[in-house]
Amino acid sequence: EPEVTQTPSHQVTQMGQEVILRCVPISNHLYFYWYRQILGQKVEFLVSFYNNEISEKSEIFDDQFSVERPDGSNFTLKIRSTKLEDSAMYFCASIGTWGLYGYTFGSGTRLTVV
Amino acid sequence: GESVGLHLPTLSVQEGDNSIINCAYSNSASDYFIWYKQESGKGPQFIIDIRSNMDKRQGQRVTVLLNKTVKHLSLQIAATQPGDSAVYFCAENSGNTPLVFGKGTRLSVIA
């Protein structure tokens, strides 16, 4: 069964450092998402990406965040200057067609900012 | 703002019993609903979905019920097994908006 792959599974970084979280969506999917989940809380939408541009973003997705699809297969989330409150699980998801099926999520990257 | 929420944060059931997990939503424009299962250290896993033109949909051991009148969604798991222990989230969207998740219910199956 096709999977969404995320790397690394766990990232520890110093406050103020830049991090890049990587995702390989399902190959024939067209819509890509980043969500985050602070420990014990609900999954929150960050950003959606389609046709090589951001289609929607939440209030959480401020100027410190950016997304990129550098090579047609990878989909990255960059946090320029991490804060303690950025510590969370970050999930990548993809979907082939709007509303046909639920999003397929990756296993996530646990980001710990110290 | 509009949101999706859950009535019960935790649910403990005996193995073999049926489980019912509930979810309330407030966006009357929502037309697509999904239940996800999340095991520890993993991403949300799709269980079952339902569109607003239906009120019931069945899968393998799972049934989703949608009551649009009271904006209520439920997930029924038949003959609950230890492997069903996880956090369950409802999620919804309308049209092409991103999925909005509820807070989650932890299901614990007692052997």
Side-chain angles (χ1 to χ4, degrees), chain A residues 36-44 91 105, chain B residues 4-6 9 21-23 33-40 42-48 64 73-75 86-92 99-107:
Chain A
R36 80 170 185 191
Q37 184 180 31
I38 295 171
L39 185 63
Q41 299 188 22
K42 66 181 181 181
V43 179
E44 299 174 291
F91 294 106
F105 283 84
Chain B
V4 177
L6 287 165
I21 301 172
N22 296 302
C23 178
F33 304 88
I34 308 174
W35 280 102
Y36 281 96
K37 173 185 181 182
Q38 187 180 28
E39 296 174 285
S40 181
K42 296 184 179 180
Q45 178 187 1
F46 174 90
I47 301 173
I48 192 168
V64 56
L73 190 70
S74 68
L75 176 70
V87 177
Y88 290 81
F89 293 93
C90 61
E92 56 88 14
L99 278 179
V100 173
F101 281 78
K103 195 171 182 179
T105 293
R106 180 172 299 281
L107 175 65

Side-chain angles (χ1 to χ4, degrees), chain B residues 3-20:
Chain B
S3 64
V4 177
L6 287 165
H7 295 306
L8 298 175
T10 60
L11 178 66
S12 295
V13 297
Q14 292 285 339
E15 181 179 359
D17 287 352
N18 297 333
S19 303
I20 300 176

Side-chain angles (χ1 to χ4, degrees), chain A residues 2-105:
Chain A
E3 290 184 338
V4 173
T5 305
Q6 290 187 244
T7 55
S9 57
H10 191 188
Q11 172 97 41
V12 181
T13 189
Q14 294 276 345
M15 190 169 55
Q17 295 296 305
E18 174 183 286
V19 294
I20 298 176
L21 310 183
R22 303 181 191 280
C23 170
V24 179
I26 293 173
S27 62
N28 60 350
H29 281 188
L30 302 175
Y31 301 84
F32 314 113
Y33 306 86
W34 283 102
Y35 281 76
R36 80 170 185 191
Q37 184 180 31
I38 295 171
L39 185 63
Q41 299 188 22
K42 66 181 181 181
V43 179
E44 299 174 291
F45 168 73
L46 292 178
V47 65
S48 57
F49 192 86
Y50 169 71
N51 200 25
N52 288 319
E53 61 182 23
I54 291 173
S55 49
E56 192 162 345
K57 59 183 180 180
S58 72
E59 293 178 351
I60 303 168
F61 194 88
D62 60 22
D63 292 345
Q64 293 299 313
F65 291 87
S66 63
V67 290
E68 197 174 45
R69 190 162 160 79
D71 56 14
S73 61
N74 291 285
F75 179 50
T76 62
L77 175 69
K78 181 192 292 185
I79 309 175
R80 289 188 184 81
S81 177
T82 50
K83 304 184 288 290
L84 295 176
E85 54 265 37
D86 293 328
S87 296
M89 285 289 290
Y90 288 80
F91 294 106
C92 175
S94 70
I95 191 168
T97 304
W98 270 117
L100 187 60
Y101 296 110
Y103 301 0
T104 301
F105 283 84

